[in-house]
Amino acid sequence: MRFTKMHGLGNNYIYVDLWQEEIPEDALSPLAIAVADVNRGIGSDGLITIGPSTVADAQMRIFNADGSESQNCGNGIRCVGKYLYDHALTKATAITVETKAGIMKLDLHIGSSDLVSAVTVDMGPARLRRADLPVLSGAPDETALRDELTVNGETLQFTGVSMGNPHAIFFVDDAKTHPVEVYGPRVERHELFPERVNVEFVTMKNRREIDFRVWERGSGVTQACGTGACAAVVAACLHHVCDREEDITVHLLGGDLLIRYNHDGHVYMTGPAEEICTGNWPHEPWRA
């Protein structure tokens, strides 16, 4: 099986082109676990497949390092756009990609050597009802704006936002030093989140900049999370600590993303995408 390893701000996945490769449906989760293993596999945050779609230019599916499937991945979808253009599967610079969260619109920014250097993604509208995450902290049709949960006897406030996948955002004094490894896994699997949740810890530097760290559902601490950065900016706008229609710089461990939350509810993300390497993976390793 041919694979390509790519990353967006260090959030790295193994990408498989389903126009060239065939993977049985029941093998996708085991394969994600196998390739993500840093000791016996390739090492990654998971597996992303790129293949044909009947409703868009391509379809992407995202499998976390634990084999669970995610609805969307902001860093991953930028890499999908780069793969499609750089590998001559399209020469359009405005394309669509089908995800479990819906159809995303991508604008590809072409750099030197006719290769994609950055991608702007219309991530669609933020979904704000508790039922959209879902979270069981109140009335399903209302917004989880200052909801509370208890971890280790400590009561914490969070804001819930869905970008097609669920996010719980916590505003903290210093995201850079906050014990993400302690709180992240406990919040991810908290009883309030029946489908688990991505957990973001954010600090406002000013109205145009946010420090950000993340514990991703199914993967743990990662260098970056595009949908999480989008959710963090939406939450900050809901709390009136930054402004809609403005480009907000989100500082992640792997680098910066520009996020804009428009008045129509749509969230736009701009950031880089890079190819790391290509290679061959042994035939049907999930059968071993």
Side-chain angles (χ1 to χ4, degrees), residues 49-129:
T49 61
I50 309 171
S53 168
T54 59
V55 295
D57 294 307
Q59 180 192 59
M60 71 177 288
R61 292 179 68 183
I62 309 109
F63 295 86
N64 299 312
D66 67 355
S68 59
E69 186 169 8
S70 183
Q71 296 97 330
N72 201 1
C73 175
N75 293 309
I77 200 169
R78 296 199 312 276
C79 290
V80 168
K82 178 176 176 63
Y83 183 93
L84 292 170
Y85 187 92
D86 290 0
H87 291 259
L89 291 167
T90 182
K91 277 302 172 186
T93 57
I95 63 173
T96 55
V97 176
E98 177 188 358
T99 74
K100 293 278 186 179
I103 297 174
M104 304 294 149
K105 298 177 181 178
L106 283 64
D107 289 316
L108 311 179
H109 306 291
I110 311 304
S112 60
S113 304
D114 193 33
L115 299 175
V116 171
S117 59
V119 180
T120 297
V121 185
D122 178 354
M123 298 294 288
R127 303 164 195 178
L128 304 177
R129 301 183 312 144

Side-chain angles (χ1 to χ4, degrees), residues 145 171 204 207 210 230-246 248 259-262:
L145 191 59
F171 290 88
M204 301 302 303
R207 295 190 71 87
I210 298 176
C230 292
V233 169
V234 171
C237 288
L238 294 176
H239 286 280
H240 307 293
V241 292
C242 70
D243 302 304
R244 292 197 183 193
E245 307 286 345
E246 297 280 355
I248 309 300
I259 309 295
R260 187 174 75 252
Y261 182 31
N262 283 355

Side-chain angles (χ1 to χ4, degrees), residues 132-155:
D132 293 328
L133 273 85
V135 59
L136 308 178
S137 52
D141 288 334
E142 295 179 357
T143 300
L145 191 59
R146 291 183 178 85
D147 287 15
E148 294 184 346
L149 55 74
T150 301
V151 173
N152 291 345
E154 183 179 358
T155 300

Side-chain angles (χ1 to χ4, degrees), residues 14-82:
I14 304 306
Y15 292 79
V16 178
D17 180 344
L18 296 185
W19 278 284
Q20 300 184 47
E21 307 292 339
E22 185 174 344
I23 305 172
E25 177 68 25
D26 63 355
L28 289 166
S29 289
L31 179 60
I33 295 170
V35 298
D37 189 326
V38 70
N39 295 308
R40 295 179 173 84
I42 304 166
S44 70
D45 293 321
L47 170 75
I48 290 180
T49 61
I50 309 171
S53 168
T54 59
V55 295
D57 294 307
Q59 180 192 59
M60 71 177 288
R61 292 179 68 183
I62 309 109
F63 295 86
N64 299 312
D66 67 355
S68 59
E69 186 169 8
S70 183
Q71 296 97 330
N72 201 1
C73 175
N75 293 309
I77 200 169
R78 296 199 312 276
C79 290
V80 168
K82 178 176 176 63

Side-chain angles (χ1 to χ4, degrees), residues 211-279:
D211 283 338
F212 172 103
R213 289 193 68 196
V214 63
W215 177 276
E216 288 200 56
R217 178 180 61 170
S219 293
V221 173
T222 61
Q223 291 287 298
C225 176
T227 56
C230 292
V233 169
V234 171
C237 288
L238 294 176
H239 286 280
H240 307 293
V241 292
C242 70
D243 302 304
R244 292 197 183 193
E245 307 286 345
E246 297 280 355
D247 284 335
I248 309 300
T249 301
V250 182
H251 302 293
L252 307 96
L253 287 179
D256 294 346
L257 289 173
L258 285 180
I259 309 295
R260 187 174 75 252
Y261 182 31
N262 283 355
H263 287 299
D264 64 2
H266 281 241
V267 185
Y268 293 84
M269 171 192 63
T270 300
E274 296 187 30
E275 184 172 311
I276 300 171
C277 64
T278 61

